[in-house]
Each structure stands twice: as structure tokens, then as C-alpha cells.
Amino acid sequence: VTDDRPELTVLDTDECWRLLAAGGVGRVAMEAADGLVVMPVNFAVDAGVVVFRTTEGGLLGRAAEWGRTVAFEADELDHQLRQGWSVLVRGELRRVPDEDTGPLIEAVAPWARGERNVVGKITPSQVSGRRVGTVEGSL
Amino acid sequence: VTDDRPELTVLDTDECWRLLAAGGVGRVAMEAADGLVVMPVNFAVDAGVVVFRTTEGGLLGRAAEWGRTVAFEADELDHQLRQGWSVLVRGELRRVPDEDTGPLIEAVAPWARGERNVVGKITPSQVSGRRVGTVEGSL
């Protein structure tokens, strides 16, 4: 019996950043007071950090204010072809000072209604990624 | 200035399960020895638990063997319409005994090559969800 499914391969750091560069939707995971949370965010990459917008006083907004270690994951997975990639970024989440958010506010327009003028940035301490299948670039 | 972006609404538990019932790709987050990890898995829902397949001895396989509290997130997000939903399941990850995996092995066929005959199940202690926009069902 042969197994013709594609191999799972490890991505190098450059490839991880190349895949993240397109931005889109990723997920931020962190330990909250009542347990682990995983929340989708609309993100962009700016000068080697992952940035997203959130609400003042919300869970991510407060975490960014205080500075918290988080994990960020983005992926593109093609259900039909059964292949894709996943990148994991670990690092510290911090709030971007309001005076520096100008160009970032446009880059990461949130979907939902309401004020989301807190820009969180995740400064990576570790980046890793995996790919299933051989498709290059975006799927 | 009016804000014509859709509202963010909270989903009730029934709606969360209805959305998860289709299965697909979700993400398991857990605290590993070296920090938080978030990993995509091909999942299915079976009798109120989230199930997926993984490798014996891998990170998720070991976590399932030992029993670990994890968070599982699934979402369907439409980049063009800028709307979608996200469901978060928290609970204990356990390995399904091999003698009970029969019907589940087919339900959650993994994409990547290799033996993935460990079936992990997440028994929910908490389920929550959010929706942006008004589209019903799958996007």
C-alpha cells in the first residue's frame, strides 16, 4: 500500500515571512484569566512585526496595553486540494503608541463596526512554519 | 460620519455547534513546554466532542495521551465580504481508545502523509462564538 499524500515540510524563517507578508486573517492565542483564548484578527506585517487593530479595553486591547506573551498563527489551507501552509509566531504583544499608528490604521482595517483604534504589534521571538503539499505562494 | 460595517454579535451554544458540525480545518492551541502553540487540524464533530487525528508521539499525540486542557478555534471568514464567524471550544484533550476509533478515522482523514492513527477528542467545558455580518450558515 503506498501513501500518495503530500509530505509535511518545515518552512524556513524567510519563507514564513514571505507567506505572512500578504496579511489577511490570523489568530492570536493567549492565556486569559479564565483560560486560553484564540481570536481571529485582520493582520498585516510591518517591518518584521505582526500588527492588528483592536478595541480599547477589550481582551486584546488590555493585553497589548500591559504587554503579554502571545502566539499568532496564520494559515492558508485549501480544502479541495488538501494542502496548505501554517506559520506560528511567538512574541510579545504591545500597543503601538497612538502617535505611530497613522500608516498602520489603514493597513489593517477591521471588519466589524466600532472603534478599533488600538494597534497591537507582536514582536517575534520565534517564527516557525509547516507546509503540506508543494504549491508555491498563496493557494 | 456613519459606520456601515456590520455588528459583531455573540452566538449561542446551539449556533456554535451548528457551525462546527460541518467540520473542516480548525486550530488547537495549548501551552507546550517551550510556549504556546497553535496548530491547524482537520476536525469533525462527533456526539458533542471535537475529534481530529494526529501522530503517535507528536506534540498533540502526547498531549492527548496525557490529557491536557486546550483551546480549539474554528472560523469561516470571507475576505471579500469582510464577514464571518469564529467559535472557541475549551476543554480537555484526550486520546480516543484505539478500539473506539473505527468510525472516526474516516471522518477526519488528515492531509499529510504518514501514520496519524491517534484520534484526539476535545470534550468541551466551554463553547463560545462570534459573528461579524449577517450571512447565515457557511460563507
Side-chain angles (χ1 to χ4, degrees), chain A residues 1-135:
Chain A
V1 180
T2 61
D3 185 346
D4 59 1
R5 290 172 297 168
E7 295 274 10
L8 191 66
T9 55
V10 172
L11 303 177
D12 64 31
T13 306
D14 285 350
E15 178 72 355
C16 291
W17 284 111
R18 196 177 72 77
L19 292 165
L20 292 180
V25 174
R27 289 139 205 106
V28 177
M30 54 176 273
E31 192 70 49
D34 63 341
L36 269 178
V37 291
V38 185
M39 281 162 292
V41 296
N42 205 27
F43 79 99
V45 167
D46 178 75
V49 303
V50 173
V51 295
F52 62 89
R53 278 167 67 176
T54 190
T55 48
E56 184 110 37
L59 191 62
L60 287 177
R62 294 197 311 273
E65 203 71 60
W66 299 335
R68 288 288 305 273
T69 298
V70 301
F72 170 84
E73 191 261 1
D75 55 48
E76 277 188 39
L77 300 158
D78 186 308
H79 298 234
Q80 263 66 51
L81 297 176
R82 302 177 76 79
Q83 55 189 14
W85 57 266
S86 168
V87 169
L88 181 69
V89 174
R90 287 163 169 175
E92 194 185 34
L93 170 61
R94 280 279 178 192
R95 179 174 182 167
V96 175
D98 284 346
E99 60 269 28
D100 301 333
T101 57
L104 300 175
I105 286 285
E106 284 306 302
V108 284
W111 298 3
R113 188 181 302 197
E115 294 282 350
R116 281 183 173 71
N117 292 328
V118 173
V119 176
K121 67 170 176 181
I122 302 168
T123 304
S125 55
Q126 197 180 15
V127 178
S128 60
R130 304 188 304 173
R131 184 192 291 284
V132 178
T134 54
V135 172

Side-chain angles (χ1 to χ4, degrees), chain B residues 55-132:
Chain B
T55 48
E56 185 110 37
L59 191 63
L60 287 176
R62 294 196 311 273
E65 203 72 60
W66 298 335
R68 288 289 304 273
T69 298
V70 302
F72 170 83
E73 190 260 3
D75 55 48
E76 277 188 36
L77 300 159
D78 186 308
H79 298 234
Q80 262 66 53
L81 297 176
R82 303 177 76 80
Q83 56 189 12
W85 57 266
S86 168
V87 169
L88 181 68
V89 174
R90 287 163 168 173
E92 195 186 32
L93 170 62
R94 279 280 178 193
R95 180 174 181 166
V96 174
D98 284 347
E99 59 269 29
D100 300 334
T101 58
L104 299 176
I105 286 284
E106 284 307 301
V108 284
W111 298 3
R113 187 182 301 197
E115 294 281 349
R116 280 183 174 71
N117 292 329
V118 173
V119 176
K121 67 170 174 180
I122 302 169
T123 304
S125 55
Q126 196 181 15
V127 178
S128 60
R130 302 187 304 172
R131 184 192 291 283
V132 178

